[in-house]
Amino acid sequence: MTVASWLAVVTVASRLDPITTLAVKQRRLLKGHQGKVLCTDWCQDKRHLVSSSQDGKIIIGLDNKVTVYPLSLDEDVTVKKRAVGTHTSYMSCCTFPYSDQQILTGSGDSTCALWDVESGLMLQSFHGHQGDVMALDHAPSETGNTFVSGGCDKLALVWDMRSGRCVQSFEGHESDVNAVKFYPSGDAVATGSDDATCRLFDLRADREVALYTKESIIFGVNAVDFSVSGRLLFAGYNDYTVNVWDTLKCQRLTVLYGHENRVSCLKMSPDGTAISTGSWDFTLRIWA
């Protein structure tokens, strides 16, 4: 995709974006965790969040097992937990790519794997990274059969879930890739790295098309996500901030301050009206 094409896509899409940089402020402070918040996600009702932390209540990742917990308010969820599969090193990330019947995982053993939740069988394995897999994201299309992973080998790899083959490899980062996220259209991938930069790779052009950086930014990136239109790129950093970038112009539009330790995760709400951030300061914050 050419720069002119990106301009057309982003300009049209920006009219549909509920969240704008002029209005983004902290709206809620969520406390309760007694440890570092590691990940968060929105429920489809657009009103509730789920989060995990190192406080011992529930830890997702950092062990070798893929464990599924059925959610219920009426009983102890740990009673019915089920170990689906096991990596040979810690599990760093996971997502449900199609439905709650399959789970996709990334691990410190340099592999990703697709598991059947009911049987616990590994449906497909993905070998190609030369270092720990730190992040993954499934293509936004419901019929999509691709996902992207980022790792400590400084690479972002795009995979065919059916064949298990790596179909594209993107390089350019100078340190670990900690975060990956598909552009809303599925035509590009954003990455965040310990090298203090975010980058945008176009899948059709098979190359890097944008670099998000400033000389004053010297801390690593832990998490990235787009606004619903793709006009804005949100990135969480080790210096406790969230930087908001113009996707096309590669300009930083604003900085969100409030956390008191590194921002470890962030997620745009399904309707695009708010963004949640989690931090090692034990809190989650809602910005809108």
Side-chain angles (χ1 to χ4, degrees):
M1 182 178 285
T2 65
V3 174
S5 300
W6 272 109
L7 177 60
V9 171
V10 174
T11 300
V12 172
S14 65
R15 301 170 187 168
L16 306 176
D17 233 335
I19 195 168
T20 65
T21 56
L22 297 178
V24 177
K25 298 179 180 178
Q26 181 179 307
R27 308 296 181 177
R28 296 286 299 276
L29 172 62
L30 306 179
K31 297 182 178 181
H33 281 299
Q34 303 299 316
K36 300 171 182 176
V37 177
L38 302 176
C39 58
T40 181
D41 201 358
W42 290 85
C43 297
Q44 289 302 310
D45 64 9
K46 309 169 188 175
R47 294 176 54 85
H48 294 86
L49 286 169
V50 61
S51 61
S52 69
S53 166
Q54 284 185 336
D55 55 16
K57 293 183 173 64
I58 177 170
I59 300 178
I60 300 177
L62 298 183
D63 63 11
N64 301 2
K65 296 180 180 179
V66 183
T67 306
V68 176
Y69 294 81
L71 296 182
S72 173
L73 299 178
D74 302 322
E75 56 185 330
D76 183 359
V77 298
T78 61
V79 174
K80 293 187 176 181
K81 71 177 182 179
R82 183 166 68 254
V84 175
T86 303
H87 280 280
T88 58
S89 185
Y90 68 92
M91 190 182 75
S92 56
C93 47
C94 63
T95 186
F96 291 98
Y98 296 115
S99 68
D100 56 7
Q101 297 306 307
Q102 295 181 355
I103 189 168
L104 182 66
T105 60
S107 170
D109 63 14
S110 304
T111 73
C112 301
L114 181 66
W115 309 85
D116 180 82
V117 172
E118 186 65 29
S119 67
L121 295 176
M122 180 188 294
L123 302 176
Q124 190 64 266
S125 60
F126 308 89
H127 299 262
H129 278 290
Q130 301 301 312
D132 299 16
V133 176
M134 300 305 296
L136 53 80
D137 188 39
H138 182 247
S141 172
E142 293 183 359
T143 58
N145 290 297
T146 60
F147 74 93
V148 61
S149 60
C152 293
D153 54 5
K154 310 175 187 178
L155 298 177
L157 304 182
V158 179
W159 303 87
D160 186 317
M161 296 181 65
R162 296 163 295 185
S163 67
R165 296 179 58 186
C166 175
V167 294
Q168 283 181 288
S169 177
F170 296 109
E171 59 184 22
H173 281 294
E174 299 175 358
S175 190
D176 300 0
V177 176
N178 299 319
V180 292
K181 184 67 180 180
F182 271 97
Y183 190 78
S185 67
D187 296 325
V189 169
T191 56
S193 169
D194 275 343
D195 65 12
T197 73
C198 299
R199 298 169 192 257
L200 188 67
F201 298 95
D202 186 277
L203 272 62
R204 290 178 289 186
D206 196 33
R207 66 181 182 90
E208 180 182 310
V209 293
L211 172 64
Y212 308 93
T213 185
K214 289 176 67 70
E215 289 186 4
S216 60
I217 300 176
I218 60 175
F219 292 89
V221 183
N222 300 308
V224 295
D225 201 1
F226 288 102
S227 60
V228 292
S229 73
R231 176 61 188 269
L232 306 176
L233 175 65
F234 295 82
Y237 290 75
N238 283 342
D239 64 354
Y240 316 168
T241 67
V242 176
N243 287 334
V244 185
W245 299 91
D246 184 300
T247 304
L248 174 69
K249 298 179 181 179
C250 300
Q251 295 177 350
R252 186 173 66 180
L253 300 177
T254 191
V255 182
L256 307 182
Y257 298 97
H259 282 295
E260 298 175 0
N261 207 322
R262 68 170 58 184
V263 178
S264 53
C265 54
L266 55 80
K267 190 76 173 181
M268 178 63 60
S269 65
D271 60 1
T273 60
I275 187 166
S276 64
T277 58
S279 169
W280 282 17
D281 64 9
F282 305 178
T283 71
L284 295 101
R285 296 167 193 258
I286 309 298
W287 314 78

